[in-house]
Amino acid sequence: MAQTFYNDLILETDGNVYSPREDSFLLANNLQVKKGEKVLEIGTGSGLIAILCARKGAEVVATDLNEHAIKCAKKNAEGNKVKVDFREGDLLAPLKNGEKFDLIIFNPPYLPRETKYSDRPIDLSYNSSETLEKFLEQYRDFLKENGRAVIVNSTLSGVQAEGEIIAEKKLAFEKIFVIQLS
Ligand SMILES: C[S@@+](CC[C@H](N)C(=O)[O-])C[C@H]1O[C@@H](n2cnc3c(N)ncnc32)[C@H](O)[C@@H]1O
């Protein structure tokens, strides 16, 4: 069990779930969410971003393909006393017919798949830049008119995502970006 702190939030994760780090914090520090907005977070992991959005008064749905992440994020939301509708499943598949959002957020597993791929749940957090490509093809159908989508991307992902760079950070082997998609 690991604990991560973000301001006054405490997030607990185990070895099956992505513990928040630089990319998560860059996104968290640059969240622009208004009270009453309908927000969707894809790939919630520990739940950090979904919890922050709920704290700002948004109505939040959060998904993850990793069942361990959904359990963990539920616990973290309860521990931090916020309400989030967590749903397990692939990208936008857990959404109901006609559900639309003001804001969709995704910090994807952007590192290209390693040759030695394993089936561990935690590898969903690291491997498969094609997940981001699939998201980019699908997300518009779930945005309200004038809705917006924000993602994290990295120079390592090999995926081109057009939009406005809201924040960026240079790390040891990559540069990461928070991008509002156009
Ligand atoms: C880089 S982690 C980000 C976790 C968290 N949002 C954060 O910022 O700390 C990527 C997350 O996406 C999830 N994920 C990977 N593929 C997915 C898919 N096809 N659909 C939904 N979630 C997925 C992983 O399980 C993981 O929790």
Side-chain angles (χ1 to χ4, degrees):
M1 185 70 72
Q3 280 193 329
T4 306
F5 300 91
Y6 181 81
N7 297 334
D8 62 330
L9 292 182
I10 303 172
L11 288 311
E12 290 192 347
T13 48
D14 61 24
N16 290 317
V17 180
Y18 192 81
S19 49
R21 59 201 71 175
E22 288 94 341
D23 48 349
S24 324
F25 300 139
L26 189 66
L27 182 55
N29 291 341
N30 291 284
L31 271 183
Q32 290 162 18
V33 186
K34 292 190 206 90
K35 196 175 172 186
E37 283 193 315
K38 254 197 114 183
V39 175
L40 169 67
E41 193 205 0
I42 306 281
T44 194
S46 68
L48 169 66
I49 302 298
I51 291 169
L52 285 173
C53 291
R55 269 198 155 187
K56 287 172 188 264
E59 193 187 319
V60 188
V61 175
T63 74
D64 205 295
L65 188 52
N66 177 357
E67 62 178 307
H68 303 277
I70 291 296
K71 277 190 202 132
C72 165
K74 270 186 188 162
K75 263 198 199 162
N76 284 328
E78 279 164 23
N80 288 291
K81 298 187 173 51
V82 296
K83 210 174 131 261
V84 173
D85 178 356
F86 289 106
R87 303 181 198 170
E88 184 187 331
D90 184 15
L91 293 176
L92 302 134
L95 299 177
K96 296 169 192 138
N97 242 352
E99 264 187 303
K100 302 242 179 200
F101 298 86
D102 298 291
L103 173 62
I104 299 179
I105 304 170
F106 190 22
N107 177 12
Y110 54 72
L111 292 180
R113 192 184 290 274
E114 288 167 7
T115 31
K116 256 181 128 191
Y117 181 65
S118 85
D119 281 334
R120 294 178 312 160
I122 189 65
D123 287 334
L124 287 168
S125 305
Y126 303 116
N127 296 313
S128 111
S129 53
E130 62 265 31
T131 304
L132 175 55
E133 283 168 347
K134 202 168 146 196
F135 169 81
L136 291 173
E137 284 164 17
Q138 299 178 352
Y139 76 92
R140 283 186 193 84
D141 292 344
F142 298 87
L143 277 182
K144 288 185 188 174
E145 214 184 322
N146 299 323
R148 59 205 191 279
V150 171
I151 62 159
V152 175
N153 200 5
S154 160
T155 46
L156 294 178
S157 79
V159 181
Q160 195 74 15
E162 302 298 333
E164 181 194 346
I165 295 172
I166 295 174
E168 57 186 81
K169 184 163 187 172
K170 195 167 176 340
L171 303 177
F173 301 104
E174 61 180 322
K175 199 166 178 186
I176 52 174
F177 304 90
V178 175
I179 300 173
Q180 178 161 325
L181 298 173
S182 44

